[in-house]
Amino acid sequence: MLNVKNNVFWVGKVDWELRRFHGDEYSTHRGSSYNSFLIKEEKTVLIDTVWKPFAGEFVQNLKNEIDLQEIDYIVVNHGEVDHSGALPELMAQIPDTPIICTQNAVQSLQGQFHQDWNFQTVKTGEKLDLGNGKELIFLEMRLLHWPDSMACYLTGDEILFSNDAFGQHYASEKLYNDQVDQCELMAEAIKYYANILAPFSPLVEKKIKEILALELPVDIIAPSHGIIWRDNPLQIVEKYRGWAASYMENQVVLLYDTMWEGTRIMAENIARGIGASNPEIEVKLLNTARTDKNDVLTEAFRSRAILLGSPTVNRSILMSLAAIIDGMEALRFKGKKAASFGCYGWSGEAVGKLNEMANRAGLELIDDGLRCRWRPDQKEIEDCIKFGEKIGKSLK
Ligand code: FEO
């Protein structure tokens, strides 16, 4: 049990070994944590639990600190199992303890655990008196990122328990943002936003305005994954505002896959052309078959323009590109420009197909694309450089 502030304690689990999350959908190169908090005022409140594999350890650790019967309320900010997974083991020992959550969370918890626990539903603005002059104020966070999501704010200590929002999949033996490597922290925070929260960007902007309008002083933002923001906690809120508003850096990324090197040679020479014509812009090349898909999507999220390259195969494109473009469509990136390229030997449909998929993903095509038959010769290499120069100039 680690002290967060006054009578608030961290009782979660740091998962250093985690490398895949949401099944195999999200890579966690730096592990993660499942943050659970215990508030010990006149009333004792547990906020969220941990993922099921750690349920036994979690409940035993709690028992080492308090008599479980002392827990007056359990707040479930979100029903997804990385936070609710230890509930069955805990509730087996304190079955009548009220579980405070949104109405949607009742559906989620009953659907997953098939238990008729003592649910007490709350809506935005409702409060729970903890004694000692402190209250928990509940804030529905509908669709950030599930329909059941909620946050709660502890008056007096001025702590916002934000659940998934403002989190990072980042394991650390430290608790706070000022104690960790800032580059690693922000890399994990933007990856988390790009891959999990980006589809809900319009709601993020709206929700941040709603929270700021409440004029609640915020000393600490305590998400349910990763480190806790205590040094300038609103810095992550400001980052979210930026990320939610058609975010882009001065970067272009070439996402390509290749069979016999032709499309890779095209990518490298297009990149040369971009760099020569626009020295200010960052240019990155990522082979989508060989790069972690969440890292690819994060780099795409950071970019002003996304160039898509694939050879033609079976009148279509290579599968790794198809998966990434489908991912971008689902994540609903906004304001990105795009162009396509690719080699072919016979029928040559790839560029047309890439254009069609880019359109569907909401990318703005700035060129019809560049095709090259067989392996590029010197003239075609020059054509790639010129194509890159044209793209680079258009991004000035
Ligand atoms: Fe961390 Fe949506 O669960």
Side-chain angles (χ1 to χ4, degrees), residues 144-145 190-204 240 243-244 297 301 328 330-334:
L144 296 177
H145 69 124
I190 194 170
K191 176 180 173 180
Y192 186 97
Y193 188 93
N195 286 274
I196 295 175
L197 288 160
F200 311 109
S201 287
L203 295 171
V204 170
Y240 267 47
W243 294 338
L297 289 167
F301 177 70
M328 287 195 280
L331 292 170
R332 292 179 237 164
F333 293 165
K334 295 275 186 294

Side-chain angles (χ1 to χ4, degrees), residues 7-8 37-47 72-75 100 127-138 152-157 159 161:
N7 297 325
V8 180
F37 300 95
L38 190 68
I39 306 173
K40 293 167 75 177
E41 296 295 345
E42 281 174 26
K43 299 289 184 190
T44 299
V45 180
L46 180 71
I47 298 178
D72 295 294
Y73 302 97
I74 298 167
V75 172
I100 298 177
K127 297 174 180 175
L128 179 70
D129 188 358
L130 306 186
N132 299 330
K134 293 184 184 174
E135 291 178 321
L136 266 184
I137 304 175
F138 300 101
C152 52
Y153 174 83
L154 177 62
T155 64
D157 292 323
I159 302 175
F161 298 97

Side-chain angles (χ1 to χ4, degrees), residues 21-22 78 80 82-83 145-146 163-164 169 192 224-225:
F21 186 75
H22 280 157
H78 175 32
E80 199 166 4
D82 49 327
H83 310 294
H145 69 124
W146 271 20
N163 196 261
D164 280 329
H169 286 303
Y192 186 97
S224 55
H225 297 291

Side-chain angles (χ1 to χ4, degrees), residues 215-227:
E215 295 188 351
L216 297 169
V218 177
D219 189 44
I220 288 176
I221 295 177
S224 55
H225 297 291
I227 60 79

Side-chain angles (χ1 to χ4, degrees), residues 39-151:
I39 306 173
K40 293 167 75 177
E41 296 295 345
E42 281 174 26
K43 299 289 184 190
T44 299
V45 180
L46 180 71
I47 298 178
D48 294 322
T49 69
V50 301
W51 188 30
K52 189 181 171 188
F54 304 105
E57 177 183 336
F58 171 76
V59 173
Q60 187 56 52
N61 285 343
L62 265 184
K63 281 164 96 170
N64 294 343
E65 301 292 343
I66 55 163
D67 176 352
L68 296 183
Q69 306 299 327
E70 288 174 19
I71 298 175
D72 295 294
Y73 302 97
I74 298 167
V75 172
V76 172
N77 276 331
H78 175 32
E80 199 166 4
V81 289
D82 49 327
H83 310 294
S84 64
L87 274 180
E89 186 136 349
L90 181 63
M91 296 309 287
Q93 304 198 37
I94 46 172
D96 300 323
T97 307
I99 293 179
I100 298 177
C101 61
T102 62
Q103 187 62 51
N104 279 335
V106 176
Q107 280 187 53
S108 159
L109 295 171
Q110 284 183 328
Q112 295 176 97
F113 301 115
H114 312 288
Q115 298 284 329
D116 199 16
W117 289 320
N118 178 13
F119 297 110
Q120 295 188 6
T121 61
V122 287
K123 293 183 177 161
T124 293
E126 290 188 35
K127 297 174 180 175
L128 179 70
D129 188 358
L130 306 186
N132 299 330
K134 293 184 184 174
E135 291 178 321
L136 266 184
I137 304 175
F138 300 101
L139 299 158
E140 287 169 272
M141 301 277 276
R142 205 176 159 80
L143 280 173
L144 296 177
H145 69 124
W146 271 20
D148 68 300
S149 297
M150 164 175 100

